[in-house]
Amino acid sequence: MVYIAVMGHGVVGSGVVEVLQQNHAGITSRSKEDIRVKYILDLREFPDLPYADRFTKDFEVIVGDPEVKVVVETMGGLHPAYEYVKRCLRAGKSVATSNKELVACKGAELLRIARDNNVNFLFEASVGGGIPILRPISQCLAANDIFEIVGILNGTTNFILTKMIREQMSFADALTLAQELGYAERDPSADIEGQDACRKICILASLAFGKHVYPEQVGTDGITKITLTDVEYAGSDNCVIKLIGRAKILDGGHIFSAVYPALVSRESQLSSVDDVFNAVMVRGNAIGDVIFYGRGAGKLPTASAVVADVIDCVKHLSARKYLFWEDGKEGYVSDPLEDNTRLYVRAKTEDKTAAAEEIRRTFEDARILSRPCEDRQELAFITPMSTERTLRRELAALTSLRVESILHVLD
Ligand code: HSE
């Protein structure tokens, strides 16, 4: 028998207990271990649950019990999850977590502590919910030099954008619907402002490229300013707008990483990833492009990934899984403004003809867009490829139009 503890009985934590109980026979026969939940840490009372006797409010009970070999962390947030996980690892307990903020901010340090204490720190559920992505990157694709990861990493924003594109629903109405359906995080700003996707691309980039990429190093922009007008202009250019998380290796070994809403061509596979689905494209030098697709959130899909990590920890109680990255270093992540890109620009102007001429003078090969029922004072165009810094400087110098919206165009 192997005893585990679950810290946090919220959506994912309760799902972990449920999956372990429901699938107990199958998990036992596959893992050859009888995994039992000894404690559940939560400040709330759950007197009606059949396993109410396992609840504790005292973390010391868990960390001080030598019988507990694996601890699940599903509390979310940085504190006290960080302190608790650190103490569990130092006490010789392996940890499985779904907490992306914890891994994105403290992953390198916690992996090092796990290594030094000969235990495992696993976090498959922190990216893409139930979609297997971290284990495939660290094991199945280990023979590759991965040079880019690009994907749709947040289900809530993808749901909102899908409603805007397919049903012309406003951003505000689509967000309300996402909240009613339980997709958005408790605080939807983490979804709609891009921080959730940012944490996930940090984890993916750190794992794929071997050095920690911290959230504050990733240029992050959300979808709050996207309008139906932008959606319509994108459609006129055979594109849809998606919130993209991206990390790639640059010449010289630096990393580019960003999260931003972008126009994605309908010819790209990412353009057809709709609703709450996530997709992560991994580009490797031997494998080419691989796409991982599925439900990126939800109680049981996420719990299934956590439980798989628990099983892996239990099967490797005295061995280490190879999952590691080093601390980041200064200058490792480049300034996103130095990236080469094309930009979509929507602007207001008093004189459309003069504005169109100025755009063509400034940007050789700029493409002016049009949409049905276009406002007489409105103009939208796609710039040619250049560094974002150069494009923004040139846009700021335009005199015959006032820029209202700038989005990236995914190349
Ligand atoms: N709120 C997140 C999403 C949940 O919508 O993708 C999983 O991180």
Side-chain angles (χ1 to χ4, degrees), residues 100 126 129 153-157 183-185 191 196 200 278 296-298:
K100 47 205 169 274
S126 64
L153 304 172
N154 182 268
T156 303
T157 46
Y183 297 146
E185 298 272 304
D191 291 309
D196 180 79
K200 291 167 180 167
N278 286 191

Side-chain angles (χ1 to χ4, degrees), residues 369-388:
L369 304 179
S370 68
R371 65 179 184 108
C373 312
E374 194 169 277
D375 189 313
R376 275 196 314 128
Q377 298 188 317
E378 167 193 285
L379 197 77
F381 61 100
I382 308 268
T383 69
M385 185 82 102
S386 187
T387 67
E388 185 171 343

Side-chain angles (χ1 to χ4, degrees), residues 93-386:
K93 302 175 193 309
S94 289
V95 173
T97 184
S98 59
N99 186 337
K100 47 205 169 274
E101 188 175 1
L102 177 69
V103 184
C105 296
K106 304 289 183 186
E109 181 188 352
L110 294 172
L111 283 166
R112 195 172 54 244
I113 295 172
R115 184 192 59 190
D116 294 347
N117 289 277
N118 199 32
V119 291
N120 286 297
F121 175 56
L122 301 181
F123 37 86
E124 182 65 61
S126 64
V127 181
I131 306 171
I133 175 71
L134 302 184
R135 208 174 259 93
I137 287 178
S138 68
Q139 294 182 2
C140 316
L141 300 178
N144 284 265
D145 281 345
I146 293 172
F147 54 87
E148 180 166 4
I149 296 183
V150 55
I152 294 169
L153 304 172
N154 182 268
T156 303
T157 46
N158 205 36
F159 174 84
I160 292 171
L161 290 170
T162 303
K163 288 285 166 200
M164 292 176 75
I165 293 162
R166 288 223 202 120
E167 298 171 31
Q168 289 72 53
M169 200 180 270
S170 70
F171 170 79
D173 287 349
L175 172 58
T176 306
L177 184 59
Q179 285 174 309
E180 281 166 9
L181 293 172
Y183 297 146
E185 298 272 304
R186 231 175 315 161
D187 174 3
S189 60
D191 291 309
I192 59 179
E193 304 282 3
Q195 286 103 337
D196 180 79
C198 167
R199 289 166 188 150
K200 291 167 180 167
I201 199 67
C202 286
I203 298 169
L204 290 166
S206 303
L207 181 62
F209 305 135
K211 285 194 186 63
H212 200 118
V213 176
Y214 295 93
E216 55 275 18
Q217 296 174 304
V218 176
T220 301
D221 195 8
I223 63 162
T224 53
K225 296 187 216 87
I226 308 287
T227 64
L228 288 174
T229 307
D230 297 319
V231 168
E232 210 179 306
Y233 274 122
S236 78
D237 203 36
N238 200 32
C239 291
V240 288
I241 299 176
K242 295 283 180 194
L243 184 67
I244 295 294
R246 191 170 195 192
K248 59 184 176 182
I249 289 269
L250 304 174
D251 293 341
H254 297 291
I255 297 290
F256 161 85
S257 187
V259 170
Y260 47 55
L263 272 66
V264 178
S265 163
R266 283 195 190 277
E267 278 163 29
S268 158
Q269 280 171 300
L270 292 179
S271 74
S272 56
V273 176
D274 281 336
D275 296 314
V276 286
F277 283 85
N278 286 191
V280 188
M281 182 189 285
V282 180
R283 317 185 75 183
N285 65 344
I287 187 81
D289 293 352
V290 199
I291 294 200
F292 299 86
Y293 171 84
R295 287 183 186 279
K299 176 176 173 165
L300 293 182
T302 309
S304 102
V306 178
V307 173
D309 277 352
V310 170
I311 295 169
D312 221 359
C313 287
V314 165
K315 293 184 82 163
H316 294 89
L317 283 181
S318 48
R320 294 206 58 259
K321 297 286 296 176
Y322 187 76
L323 180 68
F324 196 75
W325 63 74
E326 296 169 2
D327 278 317
K329 56 177 190 193
E330 216 175 317
Y332 173 55
V333 182
S334 72
D335 182 343
L337 288 178
E338 293 307 319
D339 192 45
N340 275 314
T341 186
R342 289 182 297 141
L343 296 175
Y344 155 89
V345 182
R346 177 170 52 76
K348 284 279 184 216
T349 176
E350 303 298 317
D351 182 344
K352 236 165 143 165
T353 314
E357 271 171 24
E358 189 181 14
I359 290 164
R360 290 210 177 86
R361 266 201 317 275
T362 310
F363 302 104
E364 205 186 326
D365 299 332
R367 224 148 24 80
I368 309 265
L369 304 179
S370 68
R371 65 179 184 108
C373 312
E374 194 169 277
D375 189 313
R376 275 196 314 128
Q377 298 188 317
E378 167 193 285
L379 197 77
F381 61 100
I382 308 268
T383 69
M385 185 82 102
S386 187

Side-chain angles (χ1 to χ4, degrees), residues 11-38:
V11 175
V12 180
S14 61
V16 167
V17 179
E18 196 178 317
V19 169
L20 278 168
Q21 288 197 332
Q22 262 179 17
N23 297 352
H24 185 258
I27 290 171
T28 306
S29 83
R30 281 190 294 276
S31 67
K32 309 279 179 279
E33 296 287 357
D34 182 1
I35 300 171
R36 297 289 170 105
V37 177
K38 187 164 182 184

